[in-house]
Amino acid sequence: MEAPAAPHNPAEPAQDGVSVQITVNSPEQMQELGRRLAKLLRAGDLVLLNGELGAGKTTLTRGLGEGLGVRGAVTSPTFVIARVHPSLGDGPPLVHVDAYRLGGGLDEMEDLDLDVSLSDSVIVVEWGEGKVEELTDDRLHVVIHRAVGDTVDEVRHVTLTGLGERWATADLSVLSA
């Protein structure tokens, strides 16, 4: 994995937090990025994943699940909306949400009780931008850029931006090591 600058996207979160940009060259590297990121996460963390279809959001989350040591195969929860993966050790469970099919904000997601789960879990929300930010001021935005169109290009540019007090002193640069 490399750490050159990724193209700026106006849909990304405001750059008032700590940020790092990483180039990922394969699905295996995306999964490894998830394993590394898991070492920085703790109960109460909210991670928002955004990117085109096929960008690698679920692959990254699979790595997070491995790094957190949770039970069950991490697969896309597109049709069930959310899956809870209990910890196999003393770490937090992983709540994996796919908000793609949900159009509104937090009101539509209220039935998932994410606010109840947040303090005890790591919550990862694919397609979460504009839908769950109200849960907490402290969150990590992950935006995955990929070439679009008819391409077999595996390269992804990943921008991670930590917002709020929780991430103010986080060293996200360890993810590009």
Side-chain angles (χ1 to χ4, degrees), residues 10-120:
E12 289 179 17
Q15 295 299 313
D16 58 353
V18 60
S19 186
V20 67
Q21 297 173 339
I22 300 168
T23 297
V24 175
N25 295 304
S26 68
E28 294 78 20
Q29 284 187 359
M30 185 67 78
Q31 201 161 334
E32 175 59 26
L33 176 60
R35 286 189 289 270
R36 288 180 189 210
L37 178 56
K39 294 176 184 175
L40 297 178
L41 297 176
R42 62 184 186 215
D45 283 342
L46 174 64
V47 180
L48 304 181
L49 299 180
N50 289 288
E52 297 293 323
L53 286 171
K57 297 178 293 297
T58 301
T59 301
L60 179 72
T61 307
R62 189 172 298 119
L64 283 173
E66 289 175 11
L68 291 170
V70 299
R71 186 178 69 211
V74 175
T75 59
S76 179
T78 299
F79 296 104
V80 295
I81 309 298
R83 283 197 175 96
V84 177
H85 297 275
S87 176
L88 292 171
D90 58 358
L94 172 66
V95 178
H96 183 198
V97 179
D98 186 329
Y100 183 75
R101 295 171 161 262
L102 304 176
L106 194 56
D107 290 343
E108 258 191 65
M109 301 200 57
E110 198 169 275
D111 289 341
L112 298 177
D113 288 331
L114 295 180
D115 54 339
V116 173
S117 302
L118 183 58
S119 63
D120 300 325

Side-chain angles (χ1 to χ4, degrees), residues 125-159:
V125 183
E126 295 187 28
W127 305 97
E129 189 172 315
K131 297 176 182 170
V132 296
E133 289 91 338
E134 296 171 25
L135 284 173
T136 178
D137 291 333
D138 298 314
R139 59 190 178 272
L140 182 66
H141 286 255
V142 179
V143 179
I144 305 171
H145 301 277
R146 71 173 184 93
V148 293
D150 187 19
T151 179
V152 293
D153 188 0
E154 296 288 347
V155 175
R156 306 294 193 259
H157 299 284
V158 183
T159 303

